[in-house]
mmCIF file of all heavy atoms in Angstrom:
data_model
loop_
_atom_site.group_PDB
_atom_site.id
_atom_site.type_symbol
_atom_site.label_atom_id
_atom_site.label_comp_id
_atom_site.label_asym_id
_atom_site.label_seq_id
_atom_site.Cartn_x
_atom_site.Cartn_y
_atom_site.Cartn_z
ATOM 1 N N LYS A 385 -3.986 -14.156 19.373
ATOM 2 C CA LYS A 385 -2.834 -13.623 20.094
ATOM 3 C C LYS A 385 -1.665 -13.342 19.139
ATOM 4 O O LYS A 385 -0.928 -12.373 19.326
ATOM 5 C CB LYS A 385 -2.405 -14.604 21.183
ATOM 6 C CG LYS A 385 -3.352 -14.656 22.371
ATOM 7 C CD LYS A 385 -2.852 -15.638 23.428
ATOM 8 C CE LYS A 385 -3.780 -15.647 24.640
ATOM 9 N NZ LYS A 385 -3.324 -16.614 25.683
ATOM 10 N N ILE A 386 -1.519 -14.190 18.124
ATOM 11 C CA ILE A 386 -0.466 -13.982 17.131
ATOM 12 C C ILE A 386 -0.705 -12.676 16.376
ATOM 13 O O ILE A 386 0.213 -11.867 16.196
ATOM 14 C CB ILE A 386 -0.414 -15.169 16.141
ATOM 15 C CG1 ILE A 386 0.092 -16.423 16.854
ATOM 16 C CG2 ILE A 386 0.474 -14.836 14.931
ATOM 17 C CD1 ILE A 386 0.016 -17.686 16.010
ATOM 18 N N PHE A 387 -1.947 -12.462 15.953
ATOM 19 C CA PHE A 387 -2.271 -11.229 15.235
ATOM 20 C C PHE A 387 -2.065 -10.003 16.118
ATOM 21 O O PHE A 387 -1.538 -8.977 15.648
ATOM 22 C CB PHE A 387 -3.706 -11.281 14.710
ATOM 23 C CG PHE A 387 -3.842 -11.957 13.379
ATOM 24 C CD1 PHE A 387 -4.100 -13.318 13.301
ATOM 25 C CD2 PHE A 387 -3.696 -11.241 12.196
ATOM 26 C CE1 PHE A 387 -4.208 -13.957 12.077
ATOM 27 C CE2 PHE A 387 -3.809 -11.873 10.965
ATOM 28 C CZ PHE A 387 -4.069 -13.229 10.895
ATOM 29 N N SER A 388 -2.455 -10.091 17.369
ATOM 30 C CA SER A 388 -2.267 -8.964 18.288
ATOM 31 C C SER A 388 -0.786 -8.665 18.476
ATOM 32 O O SER A 388 -0.363 -7.495 18.469
ATOM 33 C CB SER A 388 -2.909 -9.279 19.646
ATOM 34 O OG SER A 388 -4.300 -9.362 19.534
ATOM 35 N N TYR A 389 0.006 -9.706 18.622
ATOM 36 C CA TYR A 389 1.446 -9.539 18.837
ATOM 37 C C TYR A 389 2.109 -8.885 17.630
ATOM 38 O O TYR A 389 2.881 -7.923 17.770
ATOM 39 C CB TYR A 389 2.083 -10.898 19.121
ATOM 40 C CG TYR A 389 3.597 -10.844 19.211
ATOM 41 C CD1 TYR A 389 4.228 -10.278 20.314
ATOM 42 C CD2 TYR A 389 4.388 -11.345 18.177
ATOM 43 C CE1 TYR A 389 5.612 -10.225 20.403
ATOM 44 C CE2 TYR A 389 5.769 -11.296 18.252
ATOM 45 C CZ TYR A 389 6.376 -10.732 19.359
ATOM 46 O OH TYR A 389 7.747 -10.664 19.436
ATOM 47 N N ILE A 390 1.802 -9.383 16.437
ATOM 48 C CA ILE A 390 2.422 -8.833 15.219
ATOM 49 C C ILE A 390 2.022 -7.376 15.024
ATOM 50 O O ILE A 390 2.858 -6.514 14.718
ATOM 51 C CB ILE A 390 2.042 -9.671 13.987
ATOM 52 C CG1 ILE A 390 2.684 -11.061 14.079
ATOM 53 C CG2 ILE A 390 2.474 -8.971 12.693
ATOM 54 C CD1 ILE A 390 2.254 -12.007 12.979
ATOM 55 N N ASN A 391 0.755 -7.063 15.220
ATOM 56 C CA ASN A 391 0.309 -5.683 15.060
ATOM 57 C C ASN A 391 0.956 -4.754 16.075
ATOM 58 O O ASN A 391 1.308 -3.616 15.745
ATOM 59 C CB ASN A 391 -1.221 -5.608 15.148
ATOM 60 C CG ASN A 391 -1.898 -5.945 13.834
ATOM 61 O OD1 ASN A 391 -1.960 -5.126 12.924
ATOM 62 N ND2 ASN A 391 -2.395 -7.166 13.727
ATOM 63 N N ASP A 392 1.143 -5.217 17.294
ATOM 64 C CA ASP A 392 1.831 -4.404 18.306
ATOM 65 C C ASP A 392 3.264 -4.116 17.886
ATOM 66 O O ASP A 392 3.771 -3.000 18.061
ATOM 67 C CB ASP A 392 1.816 -5.113 19.662
ATOM 68 C CG ASP A 392 0.466 -5.056 20.353
ATOM 69 O OD1 ASP A 392 -0.362 -4.219 19.935
ATOM 70 O OD2 ASP A 392 0.239 -5.851 21.276
ATOM 71 N N ARG A 393 3.922 -5.107 17.332
ATOM 72 C CA ARG A 393 5.293 -4.927 16.875
ATOM 73 C C ARG A 393 5.352 -3.968 15.681
ATOM 74 O O ARG A 393 6.296 -3.181 15.544
ATOM 75 C CB ARG A 393 5.919 -6.279 16.505
ATOM 76 C CG ARG A 393 6.136 -7.218 17.687
ATOM 77 C CD ARG A 393 7.176 -6.689 18.663
ATOM 78 N NE ARG A 393 8.460 -6.429 18.015
ATOM 79 C CZ ARG A 393 9.394 -7.356 17.810
ATOM 80 N NH1 ARG A 393 9.179 -8.622 18.213
ATOM 81 N NH2 ARG A 393 10.524 -7.046 17.228
ATOM 82 N N TYR A 394 4.353 -4.058 14.804
ATOM 83 C CA TYR A 394 4.301 -3.154 13.649
ATOM 84 C C TYR A 394 4.078 -1.705 14.100
ATOM 85 O O TYR A 394 4.621 -0.766 13.496
ATOM 86 C CB TYR A 394 3.199 -3.579 12.679
ATOM 87 C CG TYR A 394 3.563 -4.737 11.772
ATOM 88 C CD1 TYR A 394 4.761 -5.436 11.934
ATOM 89 C CD2 TYR A 394 2.724 -5.147 10.749
ATOM 90 C CE1 TYR A 394 5.094 -6.490 11.106
ATOM 91 C CE2 TYR A 394 3.044 -6.201 9.909
ATOM 92 C CZ TYR A 394 4.238 -6.883 10.099
ATOM 93 O OH TYR A 394 4.565 -7.928 9.270
ATOM 94 N N LYS A 395 3.282 -1.536 15.139
ATOM 95 C CA LYS A 395 3.074 -0.185 15.687
ATOM 96 C C LYS A 395 4.396 0.385 16.189
ATOM 97 O O LYS A 395 4.719 1.556 15.957
ATOM 98 C CB LYS A 395 2.059 -0.228 16.834
ATOM 99 C CG LYS A 395 0.631 -0.469 16.423
ATOM 100 C CD LYS A 395 -0.258 -0.551 17.654
ATOM 101 C CE LYS A 395 -1.650 -1.040 17.297
ATOM 102 N NZ LYS A 395 -2.508 -1.226 18.494
#
Side-chain angles (χ1 to χ4, degrees):
K385 287 181 178 179
I386 291 173
F387 274 91
S388 293
Y389 174 73
I390 292 174
N391 277 282
D392 285 344
R393 293 294 303 275
Y394 281 7
K395 288 177 190 176

